[in-house]
Amino acid sequence: QVQLVESGGGSVQSGGSLRLACAASGYTGSTYCMGWFRQAPGKEREGVAVIDSDGSRSYADSVKGRFTISQDNTKNTVYLQMNSLKPEDTAMYYCAADFAYGYCSVSWWHKAYEYNYWGQGTQVTVSS
């Protein structure tokens, strides 16, 4: 059974940094699309950044230049380095994974319903 466990959330002031980690277990394949979504109260879940097994990355326009997604295949872990954080980045951040296609398509990577596996979420709060 696939499990995704997030860590690294917390509270930080505007302009600060945080690094999130998502450790995956239970998957024996080698191709995937994994990444991060976030959901603020009263808003829809939105795609933040994803990375696939070939190392291709996609980012939401709102985080380009500030967030970096990376992976450590030896640890089955995906990271999200978040710099220059803004109050509008405040949300619950969720790790997500899809193993059906082995890549993150430009057409659907940001659509939450495309992902079969989710972590429990980690809260990120940015104060002004």
Side-chain angles (χ1 to χ4, degrees):
Q1 183 178 356
V2 174
Q3 286 191 319
L4 305 176
V5 179
E6 303 105 331
S7 61
S11 297
V12 65
Q13 289 191 328
S14 182
S17 299
L18 286 172
R19 188 176 82 153
L20 307 183
C22 173
S25 62
Y27 177 59
T28 58
S30 60
T31 58
Y32 55 84
C33 172
M34 286 185 65
W36 297 91
F37 283 71
R38 65 186 182 186
Q39 188 167 21
K43 294 188 176 181
E44 292 188 356
R45 192 168 296 192
E46 63 173 354
V48 176
V50 294
I51 188 168
D52 66 22
S53 43
D54 287 334
S56 297
R57 299 167 171 83
S58 295
Y59 294 94
D61 288 343
S62 59
V63 306
K64 282 181 180 177
R66 301 188 297 122
F67 291 11
T68 302
I69 191 169
S70 62
Q71 59 189 346
D72 183 340
N73 291 330
T74 65
K75 298 180 180 180
N76 294 327
T77 300
V78 172
Y79 301 96
L80 185 68
Q81 178 66 44
M82 305 185 293
N83 298 328
S84 302
L85 282 161
K86 304 175 181 180
E88 51 263 45
D89 294 317
T90 295
M92 185 71 79
Y93 282 69
Y94 296 91
C95 180
D98 173 82
F99 305 113
Y101 299 102
Y103 65 93
C104 304
S105 169
V106 172
S107 64
W108 57 255
W109 76 262
H110 56 287
K111 299 178 180 178
Y113 63 79
E114 292 287 351
Y115 296 80
N116 304 110
Y117 300 95
W118 293 87
Q120 80 285 356
T122 186
Q123 179 68 37
V124 172
T125 302
V126 185
S127 58
S128 57

